[in-house]
Amino acid sequence: MSRVAIGNNKGGSGKTAVTVNIAHALARAGKRVLVVDMDPQANASRRLGWAYDPTDPKPTLVEAIQAGTEGIAAHAISTIGWQTEYAERIHLLPSRFDLENRVSEAAVLGAVSRLDRALDGADDKYDITLIDCPPSLGHLTQLALAAANVALCTVEPERDGVDGAVRFRDFIELNRLELKNPDLRLIGAIPCRVRSGINAHEHHMNQLPALFPGLVWESIPERAIIKDASDEALPLEALGSRTNEIISVYAELANRLLQELHA
Ligand SMILES: Nc1ncnc2c1ncn2[C@@H]1O[C@H](COP(=O)(O)OP(=O)(O)OP(=O)(O)O)[C@@H](O)[C@H]1O
Ligand SMILES: [Mg+2]
């Protein structure tokens, strides 16, 4: 079992796109994946085709963290809305805007371990658990980092995107003992939304290997098709053969992740 937290202290850097599309790639490769939506924006939940139904309310990650008891997350895990045969290999711990209410519990003794406890036993049957973090280093990201075995960061190759990735990396280094997760480590930095012909992008792409030695993974180019799939809550594949190029980039990233995790 391997839990991977995906973060960056900069919004819009491609965290959720990486989470959803690597989940897609892993499921196509036959792996069972749990996506944990640790962001009150709930973008991963929506993009995977999940919607909260007020006429038939079901528990979400919000209730699982509030309880924080061992394995309670199993009661909130849902199937996703994609209509493909491999979609059944992706399950979701969905989120809602009221995940924000969990932040006020940060000062409660042991609160940082609530996701870890809630997942304990609940994600044993998955090959990989991907945790999509919000663009902050606050309590919700700390819950993810306390529960994860390893972390990945996205990096948009612009000054603010690189700074956000460095802050995420340094936060892990500085706080893993406080998070009661001394073995937590960053295993990769994924350049996202990379555009050619832009000086800033070329400059920062050249700097990344020195900032993240041995950790820079395959780059994801900026492609409108990724936005289209996100917008329509569809797997990339559903948008036809023009997605082949980008599907193979995410497949390569998924392979790298499996190698790193020996999964
Ligand atoms: N490689 C890409 N090419 C084009 N658009 C992309 C790419 N990656 C992500 N996007 C789009 O850019 C926007 C931001 O991406 P995404 O939501 O994945 O970032 P995020 O880091 O999760 O954001 P937040 O910090 O708000 O959670 C979305 O509209 C998404 O569809
Ligand atoms: Mg996001």
Side-chain angles (χ1 to χ4, degrees):
M1 183 206 64
S2 299
R3 294 187 198 144
V4 185
I6 296 151
N8 183 318
N9 191 201
K10 166 80 169 65
S13 58
K15 297 176 289 295
T16 305
V18 160
T19 306
V20 167
N21 292 314
I22 287 186
H24 173 246
L26 289 168
R28 277 166 46 108
K31 300 292 179 185
R32 292 156 307 167
V33 189
L34 177 66
V35 172
V36 178
D37 190 348
M38 204 60 214
D39 188 344
Q41 297 181 91
N43 298 149
S45 301
R46 188 198 59 76
R47 292 181 199 177
L48 287 166
W50 181 89
Y52 185 73
D53 179 0
T55 64
D56 181 22
K58 301 246 168 60
T60 65
L61 180 60
V62 180
E63 289 74 27
I65 290 176
Q66 187 171 30
T69 49
E70 221 174 284
I72 190 81
H75 299 286
I77 290 174
S78 167
T79 54
I80 64 168
W82 290 354
Q83 303 295 318
T84 64
E85 46 84 22
Y86 55 79
E88 69 195 27
R89 292 197 282 273
I90 304 175
H91 284 174
L92 171 70
L93 199 40
S95 195
R96 301 180 57 216
F97 67 93
D98 55 357
L99 181 61
E100 206 75 74
N101 294 337
R102 301 283 68 79
V103 173
S104 62
E105 294 161 359
V108 177
L109 192 66
V112 81
S113 304
R114 283 183 188 208
L115 177 64
D116 188 42
R117 280 196 301 274
L119 285 174
D120 204 3
D123 65 347
D124 285 352
K125 65 175 177 175
Y126 302 97
D127 296 300
I128 295 193
T129 298
L130 301 174
I131 311 174
D132 184 27
C133 294
S136 89
L137 299 174
H139 183 58
L140 297 176
T141 293
Q142 291 168 27
L143 283 160
L145 293 176
N149 303 104
V150 297
L152 275 177
C153 66
T154 53
V155 198
E156 206 180 351
E158 296 176 11
R159 179 63 195 269
D160 295 338
V162 173
D163 286 356
V166 167
R167 280 197 301 277
F168 182 71
R169 178 198 65 194
D170 293 349
F171 187 84
I172 292 171
E173 291 294 320
L174 284 170
N175 296 294
R176 55 187 159 203
L177 291 180
E178 292 289 336
L179 296 167
K180 299 174 182 54
N181 198 358
D183 297 328
L184 181 66
R185 64 200 167 92
L186 187 78
I187 58 166
I190 303 177
C192 292
R193 315 191 60 180
V194 180
R195 278 176 281 171
S196 53
I198 292 189
N199 288 344
H201 278 218
E202 280 163 20
H203 168 75
H204 288 292
M205 285 304 292
N206 290 334
Q207 304 291 313
L208 282 185
L211 276 174
F212 294 94
L215 296 182
V216 181
W217 289 16
E218 171 89 4
S219 304
I220 303 169
E222 175 90 6
R223 291 287 182 272
I225 200 91
I226 296 176
K227 274 189 196 301
D228 293 345
S230 299
D231 226 60
E232 294 176 44
L234 289 172
L236 279 167
E237 196 183 70
L239 275 67
S241 60
R242 64 207 165 108
T243 57
N244 289 351
E245 172 221 6
I246 204 75
I247 284 178
S248 61
V249 172
Y250 285 111
E252 197 156 320
L253 290 166
N255 279 337
R256 173 85 187 250
L257 181 58
L258 291 171
Q259 276 167 24
E260 298 282 340
L261 297 172
H262 309 291

